[in-house]
Amino acid sequence: MSVSRRALLRGGLAGLALAGTGAGTAACGDEAGDGKTTLRFAWWGSEERAKLTQQVVDLFHTRHPDITVTTTYATYDPYFQKLATEMSGGNAPDVLQMGDRYLREYAERNTLLDLTPHLGSAIHAADLEPKLLPAGALGDKTYGLPMGQTTHVLQYDAKRWTDAGAALPADGWTWDDLLTAGSAVTAKFGPKVSGISDPFGIEDWFGDWLRQQGKDLYTPAGQLGYAPEDVVRWWQLGVRFRAANAITPPAVTSNTTGTPFPRKESTAEFCPDSTIGMTSFETYGGDFALSPFPTAGTGIGQVTQPPMMISVAQRTRNRDAALTFVDFFLNDPEAGAVLGMSRGLPANLKIRETLSSTLTDEWKMVADYEAKVSPRLLPAPAPPPKGAGVVKTQFQRIYDDVMNASATPEQAAPRLMSEIQQALGA
């Protein structure tokens, strides 16, 4: 598999405040005088994903010769910067790829079409993984449908763990077990190789830990779901891991040229399972293993996540054609075969079952892992509120002070909560 193929889902997450949407008429796709319709479909991704997406668009046109679909794409941050401008100027694409950290804001600005009345008729939804659907819903309205599925995973070098005498992950293992294993690996292979890439500045992993204890990052209504003492406990756990030499030192953790595991500076790292092919497989050649998260209460705290969703602009002039395209993209077996794992595991369970039997290498590992943990995964959470991207950034920034021992968890957590209040307008 080529490097570009592994880069299908590469793209950073960053907060971005949207410009006002205005009240002008949207200049979406048009219907020509000859009865033919043109739709515009916008999304983010790599050039390799673009090739596969275009193949599906071409296939759609053969089935619907009266509908032409033009496509535009960019990487993640530029995509949402352009989308904010287009929404503000009344020039939204008819069909658009949507991220969970932006869906609530766009929906509340009345820029996305409620798909609920069209489910089961224009859009066949019965075969979509039901645990994914809450990510695109606000109350009883659906503004986005899942284009794929991913979840979190711990990837680790099983050979080095065994060589270091560390116990391999097993069902019901704990954060203390992870600390013990990480310390053993560092003692065996350090100082250039640490047991685990430091996870304590990443809000996503904090969310999994919270859910293990019955909480979450945000409530279904979009309110903050945790208190300062939860942040203190999480970062205190990080201090314990650092004191035991179980995690990467600050200089390695803060290196912006990728993450420690693919650089072989750690032997374990948390990540979305959709990124396995971009980093680990090309480095380790499959000589690594996948495990669910360690636990701190009940369950593994991991959720069923859509890496992206598909939405329709509220002001599209060609609603029926747009809905037809969405249904085709999600549910056509031939389209699913073309797209493969380019947007994670297919959200359509029938397409997923067919595709899974053909997978090899890292994608087979991911499919097998997802099949194993699927019964234990929680449903996707509701879309987070406006400002959630800023919170994610501030979580990392303020943890850096804890990581570098310039602030204690007790000192840093109130600062984070102040930044959260400002970002969320609370």
Side-chain angles (χ1 to χ4, degrees):
M1 184 173 290
S2 66
V3 172
S4 60
R5 179 80 168 106
R6 296 186 183 110
L8 287 169
L9 301 178
R10 184 172 283 128
L13 292 175
L16 176 67
L18 297 174
T21 59
T25 301
C28 296
D30 241 331
E31 184 172 338
D34 58 4
K36 293 187 176 182
T37 300
T38 298
L39 298 175
R40 187 157 63 92
F41 173 38
W43 49 275
W44 74 84
S46 66
E47 290 184 10
E48 185 67 22
R49 183 186 285 167
K51 295 176 184 176
L52 299 174
T53 301
Q54 189 59 49
Q55 289 179 38
V56 170
V57 167
D58 293 342
L59 179 63
F60 175 79
H61 187 60
T62 66
R63 306 275 184 83
H64 302 274
D66 56 329
I67 305 175
T68 298
V69 180
T70 62
T71 64
T72 58
Y73 73 97
T75 55
Y76 188 91
D77 288 340
Y79 170 82
F80 278 102
Q81 290 163 4
K82 181 180 180 182
L83 186 61
T85 301
E86 290 177 329
M87 289 290 194
S88 176
N91 188 35
D94 300 273
V95 182
L96 56 150
Q97 200 165 276
M98 180 52 59
D100 62 346
R101 291 182 180 270
Y102 295 98
L103 186 138
R104 183 183 292 269
E105 183 173 0
Y106 277 113
E108 290 178 347
R109 289 176 180 271
N110 199 34
T111 62
L112 301 180
L113 181 69
D114 176 17
L115 301 174
T116 310
H118 311 290
L119 300 180
S121 52
I123 300 176
H124 180 70
D127 294 329
L128 300 180
E129 167 55 65
K131 287 184 180 180
L132 290 166
L133 299 181
L138 291 175
D140 59 356
K141 296 183 177 181
T142 299
Y143 295 101
L145 291 171
M147 300 179 84
Q149 177 176 320
T150 184
T151 192
H152 296 158
V153 66
L154 178 74
Q155 53 184 339
Y156 65 99
D157 184 337
K159 183 179 185 307
R160 282 195 162 178
W161 278 39
T162 300
D163 290 347
L168 300 183
D171 286 344
W173 72 312
T174 67
W175 289 91
D176 282 344
D177 294 331
L178 179 63
L179 183 150
T180 300
S183 298
V185 171
T186 304
K188 173 72 173 180
F189 297 105
K192 291 186 177 181
V193 178
S194 300
I196 310 149
S197 301
D198 186 345
F200 295 99
I202 308 300
E203 186 202 40
D204 301 80
W205 319 146
F206 174 58
D208 292 317
W209 179 82
L210 277 175
R211 285 186 290 271
Q212 293 175 1
Q213 299 160 89
K215 297 187 177 184
D216 209 335
L217 293 173
Y218 300 99
T219 69
Q223 304 298 313
L224 193 69
Y226 57 92
E229 53 265 29
D230 298 310
V231 181
V232 170
R233 289 177 56 212
W234 172 247
W235 284 346
Q236 284 176 338
L237 185 61
V239 171
R240 282 184 56 212
F241 269 67
R242 175 156 292 103
N245 292 320
I247 54 179
T248 49
V252 172
T253 305
S254 60
N255 186 337
T256 58
T257 59
T259 57
F261 187 72
R263 298 196 306 258
K264 291 196 171 184
E265 292 178 316
S266 77
T267 67
E269 187 169 282
F270 295 118
C271 69
D273 62 21
S274 57
T275 66
I276 294 296
M278 303 174 201
T279 56
S280 309
F281 199 84
E282 63 189 42
T283 301
Y284 290 88
D287 189 22
F288 65 102
L290 306 179
S291 168
F293 275 38
T295 61
T298 58
I300 57 177
Q302 296 171 227
V303 297
T304 313
Q305 292 182 302
M308 65 280 296
M309 290 168 280
I310 192 166
S311 299
V312 174
Q314 169 68 28
R315 296 186 177 97
T316 178
R317 293 173 179 168
N318 299 291
R319 186 192 68 184
D320 290 347
L323 294 173
T324 298
F325 178 72
V326 170
D327 181 69
F328 176 86
F329 202 95
L330 296 179
N331 296 312
D332 184 85
E334 193 172 348
V338 171
L339 291 169
M341 296 281 284
S342 63
R343 287 176 170 86
L345 281 172
N348 182 300
L349 295 175
K350 290 184 177 178
I351 293 175
R352 183 188 304 184
E353 182 178 4
T354 300
L355 178 67
S356 294
S357 65
T358 70
L359 296 174
T360 60
D361 299 334
E362 69 268 41
W363 294 131
K364 177 171 172 47
M365 291 181 66
V366 170
D368 290 347
Y369 166 73
E370 288 256 7
K372 179 181 178 181
V373 301
S374 181
R376 303 165 65 188
L377 296 179
L378 298 169
K386 175 184 176 181
V390 176
V391 173
K392 182 183 179 78
T393 301
Q394 295 297 344
F395 194 95
Q396 174 69 68
R397 184 183 67 81
I398 294 176
Y399 171 72
D400 285 350
D401 289 342
V402 178
M403 179 177 70
N404 288 292
S406 58
T408 65
E410 293 81 2
Q411 293 167 335
R415 288 172 45 210
L416 175 64
M417 302 307 287
S418 176
E419 295 285 352
I420 289 174
Q421 280 190 316
Q422 184 175 349
L424 301 184

